[in-house]
Amino acid sequence: MDPVSHWTPGDIADQTGRTALITGATGGIGLRTARVLAARGARVILAGRDKARLDRAVEAVRADAPQAETGTLVLDLSDLASVREAAARIAETETVDLLINNAGVMNLPERRTTRDGFEMTVGTNHLGHFAFDAQVWPAVRRSAAPRVVTVSAIAARWPTGKLDDLMSEKRYRGMSAYAKSKRANVVYTLELACRTAGTSLTAAVIHPGSAMTDLQRHSGTGLARLLTPLAERLLMGSAEGAAWPSLYAATSPGVTSGEFIGPAGRDQTSGTPRPVRLPAGAGDPGEGERLWTTSERLTGLTFRP
Ligand SMILES: NC(=O)c1ccc[n+]([C@@H]2O[C@H](COP(=O)([O-])OP(=O)(O)OC[C@H]3O[C@@H](n4cnc5c(N)ncnc54)[C@H](OP(=O)(O)O)[C@@H]3O)[C@@H](O)[C@H]2O)c1
């Protein structure tokens, strides 16, 4: 029997002794991922912008796993100073076995910039995570078998997601900026996998399919805004199901570094996780190197994984 096509979270091995750090764990897919990992015995560190929301998320984790060991980390990925401070707290003493780059924003109605002047979507979804990973890396390296799972989207395959005009300075469109950020998640992971080849680290990128979460709060205008919630309710999956690819990539022994994992169901919107087709051209020589160099220059960091 093909183990991938029949995988469910019930197949997750006991995670006792492993620590998972999940960004964007206050709601949606990130919170669901944290709840399941904690229920399987992992110690979970929930990262998000707001301490009160983080505390509520910890309560939700404990509802499923009363004995769970939990921690919180205040982290604003749209502010390099916050990223530096948060990463330093972890890098000094922690061991991070599972680093899940999950946080994200989508379809912001007008072009906004982060504290450091980056377009907000790419600045949060890609550059914030790049800077966080670079600085939290000593904690990842302390693990004997670390995994880095980055949450991308089907939008990574859209032609509008080309990585030229990364900051959308020539033209801003909310969903194009999102597609760029999600392609960057894929290209970053492929380059990370390349740069860590031959080590015990597994770097995988996933897309969760589609689920009704707070992510869609900026989507739709006018009539569409009225109809979208109904259409979404009918067409989209749950955060529970959308967490499956992250959970599979974080825990399954069958995962190989550099894989893109998504749901196997119709149109890849939901279903059992499996390796799926990479965005066209992702993995081409040069693109990963260019994105890495650009990300180092923009964040002012050197990242040698
Ligand atoms: N839902 C879908 O259909 C879908 C489809 C494809 C891909 N995805 C991807 O899945 C991931 C999770 O999305 P979701 O659907 O669960 O969305 P969500 O419910 O809106 O959750 C997003 C999370 O990201 C955090 N976040 C946003 N901006 C942040 C920042 N500047 N710094 C730190 N954390 C920040 C939020 O935390 P706070 O606001 O509490 O700080 C929240 O916990 C995203 O990467 C998204 O692109 C989702």
Side-chain angles (χ1 to χ4, degrees), residues 23-31 47-50 53-54 75-79 101-106 120 124-125 129 151-155 178 181-182 185 206-217 236 239 242:
T23 70
T26 55
I29 297 167
L31 176 56
R49 282 175 291 190
D50 183 85
R53 281 207 293 274
L54 284 168
L75 164 71
D76 183 349
L77 290 161
S78 68
D79 176 358
N101 294 321
N102 164 83
V105 291
M106 179 178 87
M120 182 64 77
T124 303
N125 299 2
H129 279 122
V151 179
S152 177
I154 296 183
Y178 182 66
S181 77
K182 293 290 129 179
N185 289 154
I206 69 104
H207 83 74
S210 74
M212 273 268 290
T213 63
D214 281 350
L215 193 72
Q216 292 85 16
R217 63 183 170 276
M236 298 175 81

Side-chain angles (χ1 to χ4, degrees), residues 11-232:
D11 295 320
I12 297 174
D14 184 7
Q15 297 293 307
T16 304
R18 284 178 76 72
T19 295
L21 194 165
I22 303 139
T23 70
T26 55
I29 297 167
L31 176 56
R32 188 62 201 169
T33 305
R35 290 175 80 157
V36 175
L37 289 173
R40 299 301 302 145
R43 173 172 171 252
V44 289
I45 301 173
L46 282 63
R49 282 175 291 190
D50 183 85
K51 182 71 173 99
R53 281 207 293 274
L54 284 168
D55 290 342
R56 282 198 295 277
V58 166
E59 276 173 35
V61 168
R62 286 185 191 272
D64 292 344
Q67 310 303 329
E69 226 191 300
T70 56
T72 58
L73 183 69
V74 174
L75 164 71
D76 183 349
L77 290 161
S78 68
D79 176 358
L80 289 180
S82 164
V83 170
R84 182 168 57 245
E85 200 179 310
R89 273 189 55 198
I90 301 296
E92 264 171 38
T93 50
E94 293 279 357
T95 298
V96 172
D97 303 286
L98 304 172
L99 174 58
I100 305 187
N101 294 321
N102 164 83
V105 291
M106 179 178 87
N107 203 18
L108 303 176
E110 69 264 342
R111 188 179 184 279
R112 287 165 45 196
T113 52
T114 67
R115 271 192 107 92
D116 307 279
F118 311 140
E119 185 283 312
M120 182 64 77
T121 322
V122 167
T124 303
N125 299 2
H126 167 62
L127 289 171
H129 279 122
F130 181 88
F132 185 64
D133 292 8
Q135 295 175 94
V136 89
W137 208 248
V140 174
R141 273 288 171 228
R142 271 179 214 119
S143 170
R147 285 199 185 189
V148 179
V149 175
T150 300
V151 179
S152 177
I154 296 183
R157 297 200 185 115
W158 297 352
T160 50
K162 285 201 297 272
L163 297 185
D164 53 343
D165 192 24
L166 191 63
M167 294 294 130
S168 299
E169 284 158 324
K170 291 186 189 140
R171 182 183 198 202
Y172 178 78
R173 285 197 164 194
M175 284 310 282
S176 300
Y178 182 66
K180 284 178 201 290
S181 77
K182 293 290 129 179
R183 183 179 178 94
N185 289 154
V186 174
V187 173
Y188 163 65
T189 302
L190 297 183
E191 186 65 16
L192 180 62
C194 204
R195 290 178 184 229
T196 54
T199 74
S200 61
L201 183 129
T202 305
V205 58
I206 69 104
H207 83 74
S210 74
M212 273 268 290
T213 63
D214 281 350
L215 193 72
Q216 292 85 16
R217 63 183 170 276
H218 300 297
S219 298
T221 53
L223 183 62
R225 193 182 281 282
L226 289 176
L227 294 176
T228 301
L230 177 66
E232 283 173 344

Side-chain angles (χ1 to χ4, degrees), residues 9 29 32 208-211 237-247 263 269-273:
I29 297 167
R32 188 62 201 169
S210 74
S238 64
E240 280 75 9
W244 283 27
S246 294
L247 291 164
T269 52
S270 61
T272 309

Side-chain angles (χ1 to χ4, degrees), residues 264-283:
R266 210 169 124 248
D267 302 330
Q268 291 184 14
T269 52
S270 61
T272 309
R274 64 157 189 214
V276 294
R277 178 175 60 80
L278 281 165

